[in-house]
């Protein structure tokens, strides 16, 4: 083999190696330094290699549909089987009402993670009943028995709740997200969101982690 051909072959091999490394890194979920799901409500095995993050607004009708039709399937197929852990991140994009409900959800989570998940679906189904803090508290006391209503009322307007929601929003923005619902798999945004595309992203992440 002549030197020129050998050099060309070497260049091709190096380029292919670099491209392969980039693809594998993406599948494994290289993410911004800020990406951290610690402290978010979650379901599933803590040792699962795949993290599915749901960025939602409680007043977003598309999020309500997602919660009703897609979330249960993701939970059944990937969380309940121990393959993935699923996280919820508040991303209130529809104004002050959304932000207030997001604060309330953070406050419920601070009291009880299981109560948060009990309440999450009910809140998406009944946004008209969540138009002020007092009604949110009454709603929580019905759908998440055991919640301390007085503590919840105090928490909703607190600086702690505001900071938690701001932290969630900053996380969403750091990933370049601008709409709800949005989903990431190991920190990689699933574009053109659909159940099939999420499945493909999760399966690729699982394969990359083997």
């Amino acid at each position: 083999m002549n030197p020129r051909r050998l050099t060309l072959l070497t260049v091709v091999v190096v380029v292919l190696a670099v491209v392969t490394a980039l693809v594998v890194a993406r599948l494994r979920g290289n993410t911004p330094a800020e990406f951290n799901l610690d402290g978010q409500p979650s379901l599933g095995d803590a040792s699962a290699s795949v993290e599915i993050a749901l960025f939602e607004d409680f007043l977003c009708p598309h999020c309500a549909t997602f919660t009703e039709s897609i979330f249960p399937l993701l939970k059944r197929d990937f969380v309940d089987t121990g393959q993935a852990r699923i996280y919820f991140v508040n991303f209130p994009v529809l104004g002050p009402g959304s932000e207030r409900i997001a604060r309330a959800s953070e406050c419920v989570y601070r009291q009880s993670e299981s109560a948060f998940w009990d309440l999450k679906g009910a809140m998406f189904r009944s946004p008209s009943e969540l138009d002020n803090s007092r009604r949110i508290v009454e709603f929580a006391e019905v759908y998440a028995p055991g919640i301390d209503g007085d503590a919840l009322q105090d928490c909703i307007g607190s600086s702690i709740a505001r900071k938690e929601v701001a932290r969630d929003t900053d996380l969403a923005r750091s990933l370049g997200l601008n709409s709800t619902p949005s989903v990431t798999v190991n920190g990689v945004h699933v574009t053109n969101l659909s159940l099939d595309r999420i499945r493909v992203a999760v399966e690729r992440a699982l394969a990359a982690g083997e």
Side-chain angles (χ1 to χ4, degrees), residues 52-73:
I52 305 169
L54 315 178
F55 294 77
E56 298 181 285
D57 181 322
F58 280 104
L59 292 183
C60 161
H62 296 299
C63 296
T65 300
F66 181 96
T67 296
E68 190 72 23
S69 61
I70 295 180
F71 173 78
L73 300 178

Side-chain angles (χ1 to χ4, degrees), residues 2-3 21 24 35 51 56 67 73 84 100 106 147 154-155 176:
N2 64 54
V24 170
F35 189 78
E51 296 181 337
E56 298 181 285
T67 296
L73 300 178
R100 180 174 56 247
E106 294 286 351
I147 282 293
D154 291 341
C155 179

Side-chain angles (χ1 to χ4, degrees), residues 3-197:
R4 183 176 178 183
R5 217 174 149 187
L6 181 59
T7 299
L8 180 59
L9 181 60
T10 301
V11 170
V12 170
V13 170
V14 170
V15 169
L16 287 175
V18 170
V19 170
T20 301
L22 289 173
V23 170
V24 170
R26 180 170 177 80
L27 290 176
R28 287 181 176 172
N30 274 5
T31 61
E34 305 89 343
F35 189 78
N36 187 334
L37 293 169
D38 291 348
Q40 301 294 345
S42 61
L43 290 171
D45 187 340
S47 64
S49 62
V50 176
E51 296 181 337
I52 305 169
L54 315 178
F55 294 77
E56 298 181 285
D57 181 322
F58 280 104
L59 292 183
C60 161
H62 296 299
C63 296
T65 300
F66 181 96
T67 296
E68 190 72 23
S69 61
I70 295 180
F71 173 78
L73 300 178
L74 294 177
K75 182 176 180 297
R76 181 196 69 190
D77 293 346
F78 298 113
V79 177
D80 294 346
T81 59
Q83 298 178 88
R85 190 169 181 86
I86 202 161
Y87 295 79
F88 175 86
V89 185
N90 274 302
F91 190 22
V93 296
L94 296 176
S98 294
E99 207 268 347
R100 180 174 56 247
I101 301 170
R103 294 199 311 267
S105 75
E106 294 286 351
C107 293
V108 169
Y109 170 58
R110 286 176 68 84
Q111 288 196 37
S112 166
E113 186 168 31
S114 62
F116 169 87
W117 290 106
D118 289 341
L119 193 59
K120 177 179 178 286
M123 291 173 80
F124 273 119
R125 290 191 296 271
S126 307
S128 63
E129 297 185 43
L130 308 173
D131 58 357
N132 63 65
S133 296
R134 185 65 249 170
R135 293 188 71 184
I136 292 173
V137 171
E138 292 170 352
F139 189 87
E141 289 174 331
V142 171
Y143 289 96
I147 282 293
D148 183 331
D150 291 336
L152 178 57
Q153 179 72 60
D154 291 341
C155 179
I156 291 174
S158 70
S159 60
I160 292 175
R162 295 179 190 277
K163 286 178 182 177
E164 288 300 316
V165 173
R167 184 172 72 97
D168 283 10
T169 301
D170 288 346
L171 175 59
R173 298 297 187 197
S174 75
L175 294 167
L177 308 182
N178 55 24
S179 63
T180 55
S182 287
V183 174
T184 63
V185 174
N186 283 359
V188 179
H189 182 207
V190 180
T191 57
N192 301 315
L193 192 63
S194 69
L195 176 60
D196 286 344
R197 291 185 70 87

